[in-house]
Amino acid sequence: MKIALFVPCIVDQFYPHVAVSAVRILRRLGHEVVFPVEQTCCGQPAFNSGYHAEARRVAKRLVKVFSGADSIVSVSGSCTTMVTCFYPKWLMDPALAGDVRHIASHMYEFSDFLVNQLQTVDVGARFPHKVTYHDACHGLRELRIKSEPRQLLAAVRELELVEMDNAEECCGFGGTFAVKFTEISTAMGNDKITGVCATGADYLTAGDSSCLMHLNGLLKRQNIPIQTIHYAEILANQ
Amino acid sequence: MHDFKQAAHDNLTNTHLRQTLRKSTRTSLLKRSQVVQELGEDTWQQLRRRAHQIKKETIAHLDEYLEQLEAHLTEQGVQVFWAETAAEANDYIIQLAKREGASFVVKSKSMTTEEIDLNPALQAAGINPIETDLGEYIVQLAGERPSHITAPALHKSREDIARLFQEKLGIDYTDNPQELTKIARQKLRQKFLTAKIGVSGVNFAIAENGTLVVIENEANARLCMTLPDVHVAVMGIEKVIPKLEHLPTFLRLLPRSATGQKFTSYVSLIRGAQSSGKAVHLVLLDNGRSEMLADPRFHQALYCIRCGACLNTCPVYQRVGGHTYGWVYPGPIGAILTPKYQGLTQGKDLPFASSLCGSCTDICPVQIDLHHLLLWLRQAVVSSGSDRHLIEAVAMKFWTITMISPLLYRLASRLVRWLPQRAFHYIPGWTETRDFPSPAPKTFREIWNESLK
Ligand code: SF4
């Protein structure tokens, strides 16, 4: 299968190995992966901040870049949500309507793609650590992804998956919310971390690098020796 | 003007308050999820869909249902008063109290009367409002406003209440809930017996037969409505439902969502004046609702049955509490109602003070798309110019120009990597509490071009 990779700007800039991991896994499974280099961003930062005209210009580009792709995979539940849930409701441009519908119904969050499209749970990974998974909100409540990443992680050799009791609670990132309401965001993040620490896990994983950036920033600042890692990187490890 | 951020800061740094809030909201959520589980997830979702459908139909033909309601109420001898504004509603009630020569009124819990500021209006007219719901009584005693839609004193711990009673009522300290309730009841009993006017809210009003429905746990609303000769009910126009057969759906959803109860202790169905010498008045309040109704995106906010579940589940509400929101309705629904009813300027921070996690939308018993409405409200605030952030606006322009040009994007990526490390040590709003990562040595697209293509 030919798969077009959508790499969110935050992954491109700060966590490129998340996307590298996705490429490796998909190739290992025998698929062809392409990266349309003209892509930039889905427009979510402006959209969520209320700047819809600006967001629209950026979103339209993304639609054009991916309009020919049959399977689009993204390593972010949040950016996938922007395209699959919000584009169809919001990007009202008659000239683009067909393309919007097409990409909205052909873009998948990575774990959803592996489990539900490729019917693969075991990707041949090995990761000898204790890991806890945080349900990032967009993946959980917009895309309804809950079991997929857990199934994938459970199949990783030597990995011990432990659940925190506040796995579904928001970590407090929320895009510009994190900087506009620093104190509230931090309070939420710290409560999340308390839940993570209680599991005794060495690694905290999730499907959105942005949430992990926020949580990692808090962990580092407080010298808590728990590592953060996108689940795609775990799945790429052998 | 109310400062959300300052209020949030004050509450976040109040450890006792934070613990109280967290504990109370968690307890409510736990109880709720137990009764929902008992009912079964499928049944629960069916009920939510049904409630949503009923509300949708009602709101789409609100004028017709209100006319039906009025006709039936009038037939039964209920005086119906249409109040377009809060002031009109208050005036009506004050005039009534004056006519009756009442020096005080007994009140049961009603967010609508909070919304119109009935208590201060009565006081200004020399009439003493006496709250008879325990939570409301506590809040009134403390000289505060409710901090929650269904649990007015949620921000107070048992010890807080004990100290308040000790101080204001001059009694010995006790934090035994039964005793505290008994004390409040004793104080209120005399008032009930001598009150000339009782004021209540309305949970549902049935259009087809003119029945007013009030649900509660303490029987104080029942006393407010029956003991005094005059009963004034105040309701927002969105509380009407078409038929009696629609009521059970809501009676199953509301107590479970609000207090985690399968059923409230009391459900009162009032049909007109029950005895001679008794007068019943209904104040039908608009106060911005018609405007909301005319807005195709936001009219669903009128489906709200004021259960308070979205407050309990909201990670922001859980940490900052209800008073932070600056008006009577807090939490996710408040973050919609405040800017809509009070104006975008007044509520400008509220739509942004959310991580948009969506747990409110998942819990709402009438399926209001709460977090998406917040998202659309953000756009309304930005385009109305009620909250100008020049730097943000300029940054957005630059961001857009960069993001629509792959060349500029690559250039910007390079530039960022030329910056010294310490440039990332101070990012306002971020690095006060968190480390910020340095950009990766190479972007993904560089790695792709070099070794993955
Ligand atoms: S918006 Fe929904 S959850 Fe919130 S108070 Fe209203 S009915 Fe309850």
Side-chain angles (χ1 to χ4, degrees), chain B residues 67-125:
Chain B
E67 274 166 26
Q68 263 186 46
L69 176 72
E70 183 186 26
H72 286 115
L73 285 168
T74 314
E75 258 166 44
Q76 293 156 23
V78 176
Q79 309 243 11
V80 179
F81 177 71
W82 296 78
E84 202 165 315
T85 61
E88 283 178 23
N90 289 337
D91 277 350
Y92 182 81
I93 300 166
I94 290 167
Q95 291 316 321
L96 204 64
K98 286 194 170 154
R99 260 204 320 270
E100 296 294 320
S103 60
F104 70 93
V105 303
V106 285
K107 281 186 68 201
S108 65
K109 207 188 120 26
S110 146
M111 284 311 292
T112 315
T113 60
E114 290 290 337
E115 174 188 328
I116 60 177
D117 275 325
L118 176 62
N119 288 3
L122 284 169
Q123 270 158 346

Side-chain angles (χ1 to χ4, degrees), chain A residues 75-79 136-139 206-213 230-231:
Chain A
V75 282
S76 156
S78 188
C79 303
C137 300
H138 275 151
D208 261 301
S209 299
S210 46
C211 303
L212 290 173
M213 178 168 97
H230 191 289
Y231 72 78

Side-chain angles (χ1 to χ4, degrees), chain B residues 302-315:
Chain B
L302 294 172
Y303 300 177
C304 175
I305 55 173
R306 306 278 190 265
C307 73
C310 60
L311 282 57
N312 296 335
T313 195
C314 175

Side-chain angles (χ1 to χ4, degrees), chain A residues 176-198:
Chain A
T176 49
F177 170 77
V179 287
K180 284 188 176 163
F181 298 93
T182 314
E183 278 187 286
I184 306 175
S185 164
T186 301
M188 287 161 68
N190 283 337
D191 286 336
K192 172 63 72 175
I193 285 172
T194 306
V196 175
C197 290

Side-chain angles (χ1 to χ4, degrees), chain B residues 128-143:
Chain B
N128 195 13
I130 294 164
E131 296 289 354
T132 63
D133 168 88
L134 187 60
E136 290 282 351
Y137 178 77
I138 293 165
V139 169
Q140 192 180 35
L141 211 54

Side-chain angles (χ1 to χ4, degrees), chain B residues 3 15 26 72 131 133 160-161 255 258 268 278 285 301 316 324-325 405 427 441 445:
Chain B
D3 186 342
T15 319
R26 289 214 159 176
H72 286 115
E131 296 289 354
D133 168 88
D160 294 337
I161 296 164
S268 303
K278 173 91 189 178
L285 180 75
V316 176
T324 303
Y325 291 77
S405 156
I427 313 269
R445 66 200 63 215

